[in-house]
Short mmCIF file of all heavy atoms in Angstrom, two decimals:
data_model
loop_
_atom_site.label_atom_id
_atom_site.label_comp_id
_atom_site.label_asym_id
_atom_site.label_seq_id
_atom_site.Cartn_x
_atom_site.Cartn_y
_atom_site.Cartn_z
N TYR U 29 292.48 70.51 152.95
CA TYR U 29 293.09 71.80 153.06
C TYR U 29 293.47 72.01 154.50
O TYR U 29 293.00 71.30 155.39
CB TYR U 29 292.21 72.95 152.58
CG TYR U 29 290.86 73.02 153.30
CD1 TYR U 29 290.69 73.75 154.51
CD2 TYR U 29 289.73 72.38 152.79
CE1 TYR U 29 289.49 73.81 155.14
CE2 TYR U 29 288.45 72.44 153.47
CZ TYR U 29 288.37 73.14 154.64
OH TYR U 29 287.19 73.27 155.32
N THR U 30 294.30 72.99 154.77
CA THR U 30 294.65 73.32 156.14
C THR U 30 293.83 74.45 156.63
O THR U 30 293.17 75.21 155.85
CB THR U 30 296.12 73.72 156.23
OG1 THR U 30 296.33 74.94 155.59
CG2 THR U 30 296.99 72.64 155.63
N TYR U 31 293.81 74.63 157.93
CA TYR U 31 293.06 75.75 158.53
C TYR U 31 293.54 77.07 157.95
O TYR U 31 292.77 78.01 157.76
CB TYR U 31 293.18 75.70 160.05
CG TYR U 31 292.50 76.87 160.73
CD1 TYR U 31 291.12 76.80 160.97
CD2 TYR U 31 293.23 77.89 161.29
CE1 TYR U 31 290.53 77.84 161.58
CE2 TYR U 31 292.59 78.95 161.97
CZ TYR U 31 291.18 78.91 162.11
OH TYR U 31 290.55 79.96 162.79
N GLN U 32 294.86 77.18 157.73
CA GLN U 32 295.42 78.42 157.23
C GLN U 32 295.00 78.72 155.83
O GLN U 32 295.30 79.83 155.30
CB GLN U 32 296.94 78.31 157.28
CG GLN U 32 297.49 78.43 158.72
CD GLN U 32 297.27 77.18 159.59
OE1 GLN U 32 297.10 76.08 159.01
NE2 GLN U 32 297.25 77.28 160.87
N GLU U 33 294.37 77.80 155.11
CA GLU U 33 293.92 77.99 153.74
C GLU U 33 292.49 78.46 153.67
O GLU U 33 291.94 78.66 152.62
CB GLU U 33 294.15 76.78 152.87
CG GLU U 33 295.63 76.55 152.63
CD GLU U 33 295.94 75.18 152.03
OE1 GLU U 33 295.21 74.23 152.31
OE2 GLU U 33 296.94 75.10 151.25
N LEU U 34 291.82 78.67 154.86
CA LEU U 34 290.53 79.32 154.84
C LEU U 34 290.71 80.83 154.50
O LEU U 34 291.76 81.38 154.91
CB LEU U 34 289.82 79.14 156.17
CG LEU U 34 289.34 77.71 156.41
CD1 LEU U 34 288.84 77.56 157.87
CD2 LEU U 34 288.24 77.28 155.43
N SER U 35 289.73 81.47 153.95
CA SER U 35 290.00 82.74 153.36
C SER U 35 290.33 83.87 154.29
O SER U 35 291.04 84.82 153.99
CB SER U 35 288.74 83.20 152.56
OG SER U 35 287.58 83.18 153.37
N HIS U 36 289.87 83.77 155.54
CA HIS U 36 290.17 84.86 156.54
C HIS U 36 291.67 84.97 156.78
O HIS U 36 292.15 86.03 157.18
CB HIS U 36 289.39 84.58 157.83
CG HIS U 36 289.90 83.42 158.67
ND1 HIS U 36 289.98 82.19 158.14
CD2 HIS U 36 290.34 83.37 159.99
CE1 HIS U 36 290.41 81.35 159.16
NE2 HIS U 36 290.64 82.08 160.22
N LEU U 37 292.41 83.87 156.54
CA LEU U 37 293.86 83.87 156.69
C LEU U 37 294.54 83.90 155.32
O LEU U 37 295.45 84.76 155.12
CB LEU U 37 294.32 82.71 157.49
CG LEU U 37 293.85 82.55 158.99
CD1 LEU U 37 294.29 81.31 159.61
CD2 LEU U 37 294.35 83.78 159.74
N TYR U 38 294.14 83.04 154.44
CA TYR U 38 294.83 82.89 153.19
C TYR U 38 294.72 84.12 152.31
O TYR U 38 295.68 84.52 151.58
CB TYR U 38 294.30 81.69 152.43
CG TYR U 38 295.19 81.26 151.25
CD1 TYR U 38 296.28 80.44 151.46
CD2 TYR U 38 294.95 81.74 149.99
CE1 TYR U 38 297.12 80.09 150.40
CE2 TYR U 38 295.72 81.35 148.91
CZ TYR U 38 296.80 80.54 149.14
OH TYR U 38 297.64 80.16 148.14
N TYR U 39 293.52 84.78 152.33
CA TYR U 39 293.33 85.94 151.44
C TYR U 39 293.29 87.27 152.26
O TYR U 39 292.75 88.26 151.82
CB TYR U 39 291.97 85.84 150.71
CG TYR U 39 292.03 84.74 149.64
CD1 TYR U 39 291.26 83.57 149.75
CD2 TYR U 39 292.84 84.90 148.54
CE1 TYR U 39 291.32 82.60 148.80
CE2 TYR U 39 292.91 83.92 147.57
CZ TYR U 39 292.14 82.77 147.72
OH TYR U 39 292.19 81.74 146.78
N ALA U 40 293.98 87.30 153.39
CA ALA U 40 294.00 88.48 154.23
C ALA U 40 294.64 89.70 153.51
O ALA U 40 294.15 90.81 153.54
CB ALA U 40 294.74 88.19 155.53
N LYS U 41 295.74 89.42 152.82
CA LYS U 41 296.41 90.52 152.07
C LYS U 41 295.53 91.06 150.90
O LYS U 41 295.47 92.25 150.69
CB LYS U 41 297.77 90.03 151.54
CG LYS U 41 298.81 89.85 152.60
CD LYS U 41 300.15 89.42 152.04
CE LYS U 41 301.20 89.24 153.12
NZ LYS U 41 302.54 88.84 152.58
N GLN U 42 294.93 90.08 150.19
CA GLN U 42 294.05 90.49 149.09
C GLN U 42 292.88 91.32 149.62
O GLN U 42 292.41 92.27 148.99
CB GLN U 42 293.54 89.29 148.32
CG GLN U 42 294.62 88.63 147.48
CD GLN U 42 295.42 87.59 148.24
OE1 GLN U 42 295.49 87.58 149.45
NE2 GLN U 42 295.95 86.63 147.51
N ASN U 43 292.37 90.91 150.79
CA ASN U 43 291.23 91.60 151.42
C ASN U 43 291.67 93.03 151.70
O ASN U 43 290.92 94.00 151.47
CB ASN U 43 290.79 90.89 152.65
CG ASN U 43 289.37 91.31 153.10
OD1 ASN U 43 288.73 92.10 152.42
ND2 ASN U 43 288.96 90.83 154.23
N ASP U 44 292.83 93.22 152.31
CA ASP U 44 293.29 94.56 152.65
C ASP U 44 293.52 95.36 151.37
O ASP U 44 293.20 96.58 151.37
CB ASP U 44 294.65 94.42 153.36
CG ASP U 44 294.53 93.89 154.82
OD1 ASP U 44 293.41 93.95 155.29
OD2 ASP U 44 295.52 93.46 155.35
N SER U 45 293.97 94.74 150.35
CA SER U 45 294.17 95.43 149.04
C SER U 45 292.85 95.87 148.43
O SER U 45 292.72 96.98 147.92
CB SER U 45 294.94 94.55 148.09
OG SER U 45 295.12 95.18 146.84
N ILE U 46 291.86 95.02 148.48
CA ILE U 46 290.53 95.38 147.95
C ILE U 46 289.95 96.56 148.69
O ILE U 46 289.42 97.50 148.12
CB ILE U 46 289.59 94.14 148.10
CG1 ILE U 46 290.06 93.10 147.08
CG2 ILE U 46 288.15 94.59 147.80
CD1 ILE U 46 289.32 91.77 147.28
N LYS U 47 290.04 96.51 150.09
CA LYS U 47 289.52 97.62 150.87
C LYS U 47 290.23 98.93 150.62
O LYS U 47 289.63 100.01 150.67
CB LYS U 47 289.52 97.27 152.34
CG LYS U 47 288.52 96.17 152.73
CD LYS U 47 288.50 95.94 154.23
CE LYS U 47 289.65 95.16 154.75
NZ LYS U 47 289.55 94.79 156.19
N LYS U 48 291.51 98.83 150.31
CA LYS U 48 292.33 100.02 150.07
C LYS U 48 292.09 100.60 148.71
O LYS U 48 292.04 101.85 148.52
CB LYS U 48 293.76 99.75 150.29
CG LYS U 48 294.69 100.86 150.02
CD LYS U 48 296.18 100.51 150.26
CE LYS U 48 297.12 101.69 150.00
NZ LYS U 48 298.53 101.30 150.19
N ASN U 49 291.93 99.74 147.68
CA ASN U 49 291.95 100.20 146.27
C ASN U 49 290.57 100.34 145.69
O ASN U 49 290.40 101.02 144.62
CB ASN U 49 292.78 99.22 145.46
CG ASN U 49 294.23 99.20 145.84
OD1 ASN U 49 294.82 100.25 146.20
ND2 ASN U 49 294.82 98.06 145.90
N TRP U 50 289.51 99.72 146.27
CA TRP U 50 288.18 99.91 145.75
C TRP U 50 287.62 101.24 146.21
O TRP U 50 286.86 101.30 147.20
CB TRP U 50 287.31 98.75 146.18
CG TRP U 50 287.45 97.50 145.30
CD1 TRP U 50 288.54 97.16 144.55
CD2 TRP U 50 286.48 96.51 145.12
NE1 TRP U 50 288.31 95.97 143.92
CE2 TRP U 50 287.04 95.54 144.24
CE3 TRP U 50 285.23 96.26 145.58
CZ2 TRP U 50 286.37 94.40 143.80
CZ3 TRP U 50 284.50 95.12 145.19
CH2 TRP U 50 285.11 94.21 144.30
N ILE U 51 287.97 102.30 145.53
CA ILE U 51 287.52 103.62 145.90
C ILE U 51 286.36 104.04 145.00
O ILE U 51 286.48 103.99 143.78
CB ILE U 51 288.70 104.66 145.78
CG1 ILE U 51 289.83 104.25 146.68
CG2 ILE U 51 288.16 106.08 146.14
CD1 ILE U 51 291.05 105.07 146.53
N CYS U 52 285.25 104.41 145.61
CA CYS U 52 284.07 104.77 144.79
C CYS U 52 284.33 106.07 144.05
O CYS U 52 284.68 107.08 144.55
CB CYS U 52 282.87 104.95 145.74
SG CYS U 52 281.36 105.39 144.88
N PRO U 53 284.15 106.01 142.68
CA PRO U 53 284.35 107.24 141.87
C PRO U 53 283.16 108.19 142.03
O PRO U 53 282.03 107.77 142.38
CB PRO U 53 284.38 106.67 140.42
CG PRO U 53 283.59 105.42 140.50
CD PRO U 53 283.81 104.84 141.87
N LYS U 54 283.43 109.43 141.73
CA LYS U 54 282.36 110.44 141.79
C LYS U 54 281.83 110.64 140.35
O LYS U 54 282.53 111.22 139.50
CB LYS U 54 282.87 111.76 142.37
CG LYS U 54 281.77 112.84 142.54
CD LYS U 54 282.31 114.03 143.28
CE LYS U 54 281.23 115.10 143.42
NZ LYS U 54 280.03 114.60 144.08
N LEU U 55 280.65 110.13 140.13
CA LEU U 55 280.08 110.15 138.77
C LEU U 55 278.90 111.08 138.56
O LEU U 55 278.68 111.52 137.44
CB LEU U 55 279.56 108.72 138.42
CG LEU U 55 280.63 107.56 138.40
CD1 LEU U 55 279.89 106.27 137.97
CD2 LEU U 55 281.77 107.90 137.44
N TYR U 56 278.22 111.45 139.65
CA TYR U 56 277.00 112.25 139.51
C TYR U 56 277.12 113.59 140.19
O TYR U 56 277.66 113.70 141.29
CB TYR U 56 275.85 111.42 140.14
CG TYR U 56 275.64 110.04 139.49
CD1 TYR U 56 276.11 108.94 140.12
CD2 TYR U 56 274.98 109.98 138.28
CE1 TYR U 56 275.91 107.67 139.48
CE2 TYR U 56 274.77 108.75 137.69
CZ TYR U 56 275.27 107.56 138.30
OH TYR U 56 275.09 106.36 137.70
N LYS U 57 276.59 114.59 139.54
CA LYS U 57 276.50 115.89 140.13
C LYS U 57 275.45 115.99 141.16
O LYS U 57 275.52 116.73 142.14
CB LYS U 57 276.29 116.96 139.05
CG LYS U 57 277.50 117.10 138.07
CD LYS U 57 277.14 118.18 137.01
CE LYS U 57 278.38 118.33 136.03
NZ LYS U 57 278.10 119.37 135.02
N GLU U 58 274.33 115.25 140.94
CA GLU U 58 273.22 115.21 141.90
C GLU U 58 273.70 114.53 143.15
O GLU U 58 274.06 113.31 143.13
CB GLU U 58 272.00 114.52 141.23
CG GLU U 58 271.43 115.13 140.06
CD GLU U 58 272.18 114.76 138.78
OE1 GLU U 58 273.16 114.00 138.86
OE2 GLU U 58 271.81 115.23 137.67
N LYS U 59 273.58 115.20 144.28
CA LYS U 59 274.10 114.70 145.55
C LYS U 59 273.33 113.38 145.95
O LYS U 59 273.97 112.44 146.42
CB LYS U 59 273.97 115.71 146.59
CG LYS U 59 274.93 116.88 146.50
CD LYS U 59 274.80 117.85 147.65
CE LYS U 59 275.84 118.98 147.53
NZ LYS U 59 275.70 119.93 148.70
N GLU U 60 272.06 113.36 145.73
CA GLU U 60 271.25 112.21 146.12
C GLU U 60 271.67 110.96 145.32
O GLU U 60 271.82 109.86 145.90
CB GLU U 60 269.77 112.50 145.95
CG GLU U 60 268.88 111.36 146.39
CD GLU U 60 267.45 111.68 146.17
OE1 GLU U 60 267.08 112.63 145.39
OE2 GLU U 60 266.56 110.89 146.69
N THR U 61 271.83 111.12 144.04
CA THR U 61 272.23 109.95 143.21
C THR U 61 273.64 109.46 143.55
O THR U 61 273.90 108.30 143.68
CB THR U 61 272.12 110.29 141.73
OG1 THR U 61 270.82 110.83 141.40
CG2 THR U 61 272.41 109.09 140.84
N GLN U 62 274.54 110.41 143.73
CA GLN U 62 275.89 110.08 144.11
C GLN U 62 275.90 109.39 145.48
O GLN U 62 276.66 108.38 145.68
CB GLN U 62 276.78 111.32 144.14
CG GLN U 62 278.25 111.03 144.58
CD GLN U 62 278.97 110.13 143.56
OE1 GLN U 62 278.73 110.19 142.34
NE2 GLN U 62 279.87 109.28 144.06
N LYS U 63 275.12 109.87 146.41
CA LYS U 63 275.09 109.23 147.73
C LYS U 63 274.54 107.81 147.63
O LYS U 63 275.10 106.87 148.24
CB LYS U 63 274.18 110.04 148.64
CG LYS U 63 274.07 109.51 150.06
CD LYS U 63 273.16 110.33 150.90
CE LYS U 63 273.00 109.72 152.32
NZ LYS U 63 272.13 110.51 153.18
N LYS U 64 273.44 107.60 146.83
CA LYS U 64 272.92 106.25 146.68
C LYS U 64 273.96 105.34 145.97
O LYS U 64 274.13 104.21 146.34
CB LYS U 64 271.62 106.32 145.90
CG LYS U 64 270.98 104.96 145.68
CD LYS U 64 270.68 104.24 146.98
CE LYS U 64 269.63 104.97 147.78
NZ LYS U 64 269.29 104.16 149.02
N TYR U 65 274.64 105.91 144.97
CA TYR U 65 275.63 105.17 144.29
C TYR U 65 276.76 104.76 145.21
O TYR U 65 277.22 103.56 145.22
CB TYR U 65 276.20 106.00 143.08
CG TYR U 65 277.37 105.40 142.36
CD1 TYR U 65 277.18 104.32 141.54
CD2 TYR U 65 278.66 105.98 142.46
CE1 TYR U 65 278.24 103.78 140.83
CE2 TYR U 65 279.71 105.45 141.75
CZ TYR U 65 279.49 104.33 140.94
OH TYR U 65 280.59 103.79 140.27
N SER U 66 277.20 105.63 146.09
CA SER U 66 278.23 105.32 147.07
C SER U 66 277.79 104.23 147.99
O SER U 66 278.59 103.39 148.42
CB SER U 66 278.65 106.61 147.81
OG SER U 66 279.18 107.57 146.94
N GLU U 67 276.48 104.28 148.44
CA GLU U 67 275.96 103.29 149.38
C GLU U 67 276.02 101.87 148.75
O GLU U 67 276.44 100.92 149.39
CB GLU U 67 274.54 103.64 149.77
CG GLU U 67 274.41 104.86 150.66
CD GLU U 67 273.00 105.22 150.91
OE1 GLU U 67 272.10 104.56 150.35
OE2 GLU U 67 272.74 106.21 151.63
N ILE U 68 275.61 101.78 147.51
CA ILE U 68 275.56 100.47 146.84
C ILE U 68 276.98 99.99 146.61
O ILE U 68 277.28 98.81 146.71
CB ILE U 68 274.77 100.60 145.53
CG1 ILE U 68 273.34 101.03 145.83
CG2 ILE U 68 274.72 99.20 144.85
CD1 ILE U 68 272.54 101.34 144.57
N TRP U 69 277.85 100.91 146.23
CA TRP U 69 279.27 100.56 146.04
C TRP U 69 279.87 99.99 147.34
O TRP U 69 280.54 98.99 147.35
CB TRP U 69 280.06 101.83 145.57
CG TRP U 69 281.52 101.60 145.40
CD1 TRP U 69 282.50 101.54 146.35
CD2 TRP U 69 282.18 101.48 144.13
NE1 TRP U 69 283.69 101.35 145.79
CE2 TRP U 69 283.54 101.26 144.47
CE3 TRP U 69 281.75 101.45 142.77
CZ2 TRP U 69 284.48 101.13 143.43
CZ3 TRP U 69 282.75 101.28 141.82
CH2 TRP U 69 284.06 101.09 142.12
N GLN U 70 279.53 100.68 148.47
CA GLN U 70 280.09 100.19 149.73
C GLN U 70 279.43 98.87 150.12
O GLN U 70 280.13 98.04 150.73
CB GLN U 70 279.74 101.22 150.81
CG GLN U 70 280.30 100.96 152.17
CD GLN U 70 281.80 100.83 152.15
OE1 GLN U 70 282.50 101.61 151.53
NE2 GLN U 70 282.37 99.77 152.86
#
C-alpha cells in the first residue's frame, strides 16, 4: 500500500463526516442518565 492509503489520509473525509453526523440523541428525561449516555456516546 502507499503512505496515502493509511487511514489518517485515506479516510479523512469519512472521519469528518462521522464527527459531523454522529449526533447524540436525547433519549432520557433524567439529566444524570442523559449525561452518562452522552459521555459513552462521545
Side-chain angles (χ1 to χ4, degrees):
Y29 57 87
T30 68
Y31 178 76
Q32 288 72 25
E33 289 170 329
L34 289 172
S35 57
H36 70 305
L37 296 176
Y38 193 85
Y39 290 113
K41 290 183 179 179
Q42 288 88 338
N43 196 7
D44 290 341
S45 177
I46 290 169
K47 288 187 285 187
K48 179 180 179 180
N49 296 320
W50 277 25
I51 300 174
C52 180
K54 186 171 178 57
L55 299 182
Y56 301 100
K57 294 181 179 179
E58 297 83 359
K59 290 184 179 180
E60 185 182 11
T61 306
Q62 179 64 34
K63 181 180 178 181
K64 180 58 66 177
Y65 175 69
S66 298
E67 288 175 359
I68 301 171
W69 179 283
Q70 185 59 43

